[in-house]
Amino acid sequence: MPKFTLYSPNARSVELRLYREAQGGAPEHRYNLEVAGNGWWRLHLYCDLTGWYYTYRVQNPDGWQRETPGPWATAVGINGARGAIIDLEATNPEGWEADRRPPLCASPIIYELHHRDFSISHTSGIHHKGRYLALTESGTRTADNLATGIDHLTELGITHVQLLPSFDFSSIDETEARVPHYNWGYDPQNYNVPEGSYATDAVNPSVRIREFKMMVAALHKAGIRVVLDVVYNHVASVAASPLECAAPGIYFRRWPDGTLANGSGCGNETASEHEAMRQLIVESVAYWAEEYHIDGFRFDLMALHDIATMKAVSRRLHAIDPTICVYGEGWAAAPSPLPARQAASKANMAKLPAIAAFGDELRDGLRGPFADDKLGGFLLGNAQAISAVKRGIVGATNHPQLADIHPPHWAKRPAQMLSYVSCHDDLCLYDRLLSASPTLSTDEAERLSLLAHTAVLTAQATPFIFSGEELLRSKRGVRNSYNSSDMINAIDWRGKSLHYQLFTALRRLIHLRRQHPLFQLPTAKAVAARLRFLDVGNHVAVAFTIDAPPSIGDSWKQAVVVLNADERPLHLALPLNYYTLYLKSFQSSLSGLTTLHTDTLEVPPHSPLIAAVVS
Ligand code: CA
């Protein structure tokens, strides 16, 4: 029997409207909700309303608000304007009860993808292009018979897929299913419902829910955990938002003069410090974790949320399962009324030990500054970027060899930093390299991409890879491609054949990291004690050794990693010993290429090297 509840502390009355249709027509029934205390209203209807649609209408002192499904709708009709009454249990695909989170890998590696980018190209060989179901298709191949889709992910060896916004967002008209349309989805409409345009049928409210669950189950079956990109910090439109329509003036931050604050750069920001917004965030992630078996959450502009809210989020999720991961962008897009000391920002990460944040130092150190695409970083031989790369290598922790350098440390434990060189936002790596160095050859770009990802994957941090980087993806120089066409955003799977040496080297790097726990030392103290930067003279290079603590059970005694961004080869002096080479430029092997008895390792220009002293 349906139970309707709405938080609306200033309302004079709240009306429930029942419709036969998801759009248009007049309500067939209207009921008034009753006061339930603490700002809540409620109504119990003792009849089966499955198949009906509903809205609330709130009367405030200043008049009637727009109709809304309210912030807590868990099913909606097309375009999310009305809530839908469905049998949620009936949306469970076959075997859903047996679906379990895959075991948490000791070395998580996150892979960020957009549903449409990943599958829409004709080169993907995927049937359900641009849909949730694309990630359920195994056996898909390129014309050259190389794996695509979910098989590609398992081949690559990543452990977590981070999906770009997949909750119901507003920018795509779900009634225009056959028109090519694209959006990243950072324009939230209904937080607790999957987006309809990624479903094979956006009209039937159950289909998007069932197909989303099928996707999660397929990824779990492939051993991959699923992370949702959540955007509670702002909404598409305040006036049309279920938050504002349900409880005007409650959910959004304002400046003292009454104007809406805009720390998101998208026109508004939510007020997580308000009890109602905090509860919405905490219970929404818990709902996704329980109903959809989601394994992690990436918080967009996390610094717009207050520390107390993020603590409540991690507490709530870790009570469900302590292996659920929580991380976010430790910054805002613009000034916010939220006091800096309360913000869940990078600077305050010591107060949020259970949560991780993106390390932009490593990103900008490798590729060049965020603010100027024409300037190159470490990869293009900029020696000034060396210290930022080193800070990233130690997972933004305090390290004795980096005591006085800029950028400063901020992570309490190394895995608290996400190491990355690119993400959906901004130029992808190939385009960023070309922007700063327009004459760069494709061969050279492949080489530098491998160098960049060796830094990302040997850092004592949580590695994060933007989908398609392993195929030297290009977005044709478009920085903010949030609504660009498929021509810009689609992954061209032919890149897997064209750049197969890059793909193979990245795959081996991922597997090397997963096989060797010394790349993910558990504490900042262990990193400080066991990771040593080596002297590289005046080369634009970073070289370091990691001594494996006996307790972690690594088959290597010591790893040697060299990132040579110089145009000259580097001859690295080491104590005389037996060194087994695992990766040297594009040559790589999980069992070792060769073992040398030497006191010098030669690293080619613009190339990485990984060697080890094997016990
Ligand atoms: Ca939508």
Side-chain angles (χ1 to χ4, degrees), residues 1-2 4 18 20 45-52 85-87:
M1 299 302 120
F4 299 90
L18 291 178
R20 288 283 187 190
L45 291 177
Y46 298 92
C47 51
D48 183 6
L49 292 174
T50 305
W52 286 76
I85 300 167
I86 64 164
D87 177 0

Side-chain angles (χ1 to χ4, degrees), residues 403-451:
D404 301 316
I405 67 145
H406 188 82
H409 64 92
W410 54 264
K412 221 175 166 184
R413 57 185 173 90
Q416 203 177 12
M417 186 194 106
L418 266 68
S419 58
Y420 74 122
V421 65
S422 61
C423 67
H424 71 275
D425 234 340
D426 219 351
L427 293 176
C428 58
L429 181 58
Y430 181 45
D431 294 350
R432 182 64 179 80
L433 289 167
L434 278 184
S435 171
S437 180
T439 57
L440 199 71
S441 70
T442 310
D443 182 59
E444 197 62 6
E446 270 189 43
R447 201 169 282 280
L448 295 179
S449 176
L450 175 60
L451 185 59

Side-chain angles (χ1 to χ4, degrees), residues 79 168-170 172 174 189 195-196:
N79 281 334
D168 182 31
F169 54 81
S170 76
I172 288 177
E174 296 174 2
Q189 190 171 350
E195 161 62 13

Side-chain angles (χ1 to χ4, degrees), residues 120 474-476 484-490:
I120 201 72
S474 169
K475 292 196 293 175
R476 299 176 191 239
S484 300
S485 67
D486 292 335
M487 200 180 79
I488 303 296
N489 282 310

